[in-house]
Amino acid sequence: MKRYSIFSLLRNAVSHHKDWPRAWRSPDPKTEYDVVIVGGGGHGLATAYYLASQHGISNVAVIEKGWLGGGNTGRNTTIIRSNYLWDESAHLYEHSLKLYEGLSQELNYNIMLSQRGVLNLAHNQHDLRELSRRISANRLNGIDSEFLTPAEVKSMVPLIDVSPGARYPVMGASVQRRGGVARHDAVAWGYARAADARGVDIIQQCEVTGILRDGGAVTGVETTRGTIKAKKVALAVAGHTSMLAQMADVRLPITSHPLQAMVSEPVKPALDCVVMSNAVHGYISQSDRGEMVMGAGIDTLTGYSQRGALPVVEELQRAIVCLFPSFSRLRLMRQWGGIVDTCPDASPIVSKTPVEGLYVNGGWGTGGFKATPGSGWVYAHTIARDEPHALNAPFALDRFTSGALIDEHGAAAVAH
Amino acid sequence: MLIIDCPYCGPRDEAEFHYGGEAHIVRPENPAELSDEEWAEYLFMRTNTKGRFLERWVHSEGCRRWFNMARNTANNEIEAVYRMGEQAPKANVSGDTNK
């Protein structure tokens, strides 16, 4: 791997940037690997990277049916934060945020992490109590979280309407100042380049059509480019987790839903933090290109169509325009959908399965991007040692049988 | 945007309806005798089909009655709408079904 630096930039400037090497290879699949990871999004690529860098397992293939980061990794609104209510989630997401903080250096790839602060608004007494509880829980877990009064919100976000007559009155907010955004494509590409440099094969345009088993243990995968044998198969296929698990007769408590996001036309800098509101189902930040990036709640119906229905767009825009009256004159430029798989307790599953050698990582719902490094870290550990890391042990599949659910609807249900 | 043909009111805009998830999940006859695994299956495990899916809807801003629908979750095509208690229509293709 050729390191990126100011010197490589200068060297390549001399040759008009025509000689940059490819960031990763595009190999043909080998007949056998130690680990096959299904899904070349952020989570799958991060898992491959940590398998190679932390566990010395580099005979790994990442198999992707489309292109790298073309699923939810490239469709989310790039928000990163760790202010989750319960200890289990707080520890997992905080570990992820800490990895994010050093990721550009670690991967030698600028992921454009911008810790600009994430606000969660409270619009009623219940929101206020819920926020206060969550702020306290966060602080007990060592996660930065502060309460802001309406006046403090207004000084941080001058365009927001905090007047008492507002349709959605702002009664306060929590802020996590270490939260923010990152370039989502760069996270996938950075992990891909670093994993490739450690010997991981990244195989795109290759769809898994079956999971091969012999007597209750995984032996490989059937793909559109032939059979690939593997001692271990790890799923990281947000949106389609149920479909892949079905190939191995594993039942999951997951339902898949479209989740929509959209951007406005680009304008000059007007919003320098992330503003989220669970009560009105909306979250907004401004991209480096100047677009207002907005995300909605999920479309409630089960669906795999990668687009959503208009009522959700209207509901989101109503909320955004009530909060930011001046944005009413912005025009929407693009709208898209991704398929998120949701769990009954709004927490993910990172777990072994009843099938030996088959692992599942999914159910991140609407908030998988912020978890990318942490998810890869604990998943790699789970695969390499065949036992969960302390951070993901509570997120095992058996919690739906034992009843030890991790109910994060308050912190996770909408936003991400 | 779906146009849903409510079996009681006729075709209406999707915004009038609420979604009720997978249909034909049978309530256990003897709850006291269920194992933890059987409870988990009943409460949490879902088929989550990509393709022909049988699901429940309620016309919450109309007649407020529940009914079932067969819809393709990959392209949102509505194949049939039928009342609670009625048999699900047979699939015309050998596609996925809930059961």
Side-chain angles (χ1 to χ4, degrees):
Chain A
M1 181 175 89
K2 289 245 167 64
R3 281 187 67 80
Y4 295 153
S5 68
I6 182 72
F7 303 108
S8 72
L9 191 62
L10 290 172
R11 245 193 331 274
N12 281 283
V14 174
S15 58
H16 303 282
H17 298 293
K18 287 176 183 163
D19 298 330
W20 285 103
R22 293 181 74 93
W24 53 82
R25 298 164 297 133
S26 190
D28 287 323
K30 292 193 279 190
T31 52
E32 184 164 5
Y33 290 93
D34 291 341
V35 180
V36 163
I37 295 168
V38 187
H43 288 236
L45 293 165
T47 305
Y49 171 72
Y50 292 120
L51 272 174
S53 68
Q54 301 295 316
H55 303 280
I57 301 173
S58 56
N59 186 21
V60 175
V62 177
I63 298 179
E64 166 58 47
K65 76 171 171 182
W67 64 94
L68 292 192
N72 294 340
T73 299
R75 291 165 189 267
N76 61 72
T77 53
T78 79
I79 299 169
I80 295 169
R81 61 188 176 88
S82 64
N83 54 353
Y84 278 68
L85 175 64
W86 299 106
D87 293 351
E88 296 88 344
S89 330
H91 294 158
L92 180 59
Y93 289 100
E94 178 63 11
H95 183 63
S96 190
L97 177 53
K98 283 185 174 144
L99 289 171
Y100 261 127
E101 287 173 328
L103 201 58
S104 290
Q105 295 299 324
E106 160 134 19
L107 299 179
N108 180 232
Y109 202 99
N110 187 2
I111 62 156
M112 298 167 76
L113 176 68
S114 165
Q115 293 177 290
R116 57 182 69 178
V118 174
L119 273 70
N120 284 80
L121 302 177
H123 298 296
N124 52 48
Q125 288 295 336
H126 173 80
D127 283 358
L128 273 181
R129 281 192 287 265
E130 195 273 334
L131 269 193
S132 309
R133 179 189 182 199
R134 188 136 62 89
I135 289 168
S136 302
N138 290 159
R139 294 171 76 127
L140 285 170
N141 275 319
I143 294 168
D144 68 307
S145 195
E146 294 165 48
F147 182 77
L148 299 180
T149 64
E152 289 167 330
V153 172
K154 182 74 179 171
S155 79
M156 201 168 161
V157 190
L159 291 179
I160 202 167
D161 181 7
V162 297
S163 62
R167 171 67 185 83
Y168 301 116
V170 174
M171 299 177 72
S174 70
V175 61
Q176 182 177 20
R177 296 188 194 277
R178 288 165 58 239
V181 293
R183 176 79 200 278
H184 48 195
D185 300 318
V187 173
W189 297 337
Y191 274 123
R193 174 167 166 268
D196 176 85
R198 283 166 176 77
V200 172
D201 281 357
I202 297 167
I203 299 154
Q204 302 180 67
Q205 305 285 316
C206 178
E207 182 172 356
V208 169
T209 54
I211 295 174
L212 303 172
R213 285 168 295 160
D214 183 15
V218 154
T219 58
V221 290
E222 204 70 67
T223 77
T224 49
R225 292 175 67 177
T227 303
I228 301 172
K229 286 197 267 181
K231 297 180 189 78
K232 295 176 177 180
V233 173
L235 307 180
V237 287
H240 283 70
T241 310
S242 300
M243 303 306 302
L244 270 290
Q246 266 171 32
M247 293 177 184
D249 299 318
V250 173
R251 293 268 288 167
L252 294 175
I254 284 177
T255 55
S256 298
H257 300 269
L259 177 68
Q260 302 188 62
M262 54 214 74
V263 295
S264 74
E265 59 190 329
V267 289
K268 288 191 174 179
L271 180 65
D272 63 356
C273 57
V274 181
V275 177
M276 310 186 12
S277 169
N278 279 10
V280 299
H281 280 209
Y283 35 104
I284 182 167
S285 65
Q286 189 171 19
S287 75
D288 293 335
R289 287 182 294 228
E291 306 146 332
M292 293 297 167
V293 184
M294 294 166 276
I298 57 169
D299 283 44
T300 52
L301 50 69
T302 300
Y304 289 88
S305 62
Q306 281 197 332
R307 53 173 190 237
L310 191 61
V312 176
V313 179
E314 290 176 330
E315 189 188 350
L316 168 65
Q317 294 308 327
R318 268 201 299 272
I320 296 293
V321 168
C322 287
L323 290 172
F324 296 91
S326 58
F327 292 174
S328 66
R329 281 169 287 166
L330 289 179
R331 285 167 297 186
L332 279 186
M333 191 166 67
R334 285 181 288 125
Q335 171 271 354
W336 64 93
I339 304 305
V340 298
D341 40 30
T342 61
C343 279
D345 57 355
S347 286
I349 298 166
V350 183
S351 178
K352 297 170 68 170
T353 69
V355 178
E356 195 185 322
L358 180 68
Y359 305 85
V360 63
N361 181 345
W364 291 92
T366 56
F369 175 69
K370 71 172 80 66
T372 304
S375 164
W377 181 277
V378 298
Y379 200 30
H381 185 285
T382 308
I383 297 161
R385 311 269 183 93
D386 197 36
E387 63 181 19
H389 189 281
L391 286 172
N392 71 308
F395 296 93
L397 194 48
D398 64 12
R399 75 176 187 269
F400 298 95
T401 309
S402 70
L405 303 183
I406 304 162
D407 182 2
E408 283 291 357
H409 282 99
V414 180
H416 311 42
Chain B
M1 177 84 80
L2 303 179
I3 302 292
I4 296 176
D5 193 6
C6 171
Y8 305 98
C9 309
R12 298 293 183 89
D13 187 299
E14 172 187 350
E16 292 187 14
F17 297 84
H18 275 87
Y19 189 61
E22 188 173 337
H24 305 296
I25 294 174
V26 181
R27 203 178 174 83
E29 279 189 22
N30 297 306
E33 291 167 19
L34 290 195
S35 67
D36 288 350
E37 286 72 22
E38 287 165 329
W39 269 121
E41 175 62 33
Y42 169 65
L43 289 174
F44 300 125
M45 300 301 164
R46 294 294 178 261
T47 307
N48 201 23
T49 311
K50 183 175 187 175
R52 187 182 192 263
F53 189 56
L54 305 177
E55 60 193 11
R56 301 176 304 171
W57 287 81
V58 58
H59 193 184
S60 42
E61 288 172 43
C63 62
R64 299 164 78 184
R65 291 166 89 169
W66 285 89
F67 59 93
N68 292 320
M69 189 193 286
R71 178 178 60 95
N72 186 323
T73 57
N75 62 13
N76 283 333
E77 196 175 316
I78 298 172
E79 179 199 310
V81 168
Y82 56 102
R83 299 182 183 204
M84 284 291 164
E86 288 179 2
Q87 281 280 324
K90 286 217 166 59
N92 352 347
V93 284
S94 59
D96 298 316
T97 55
N98 298 21
K99 300 295 159 190

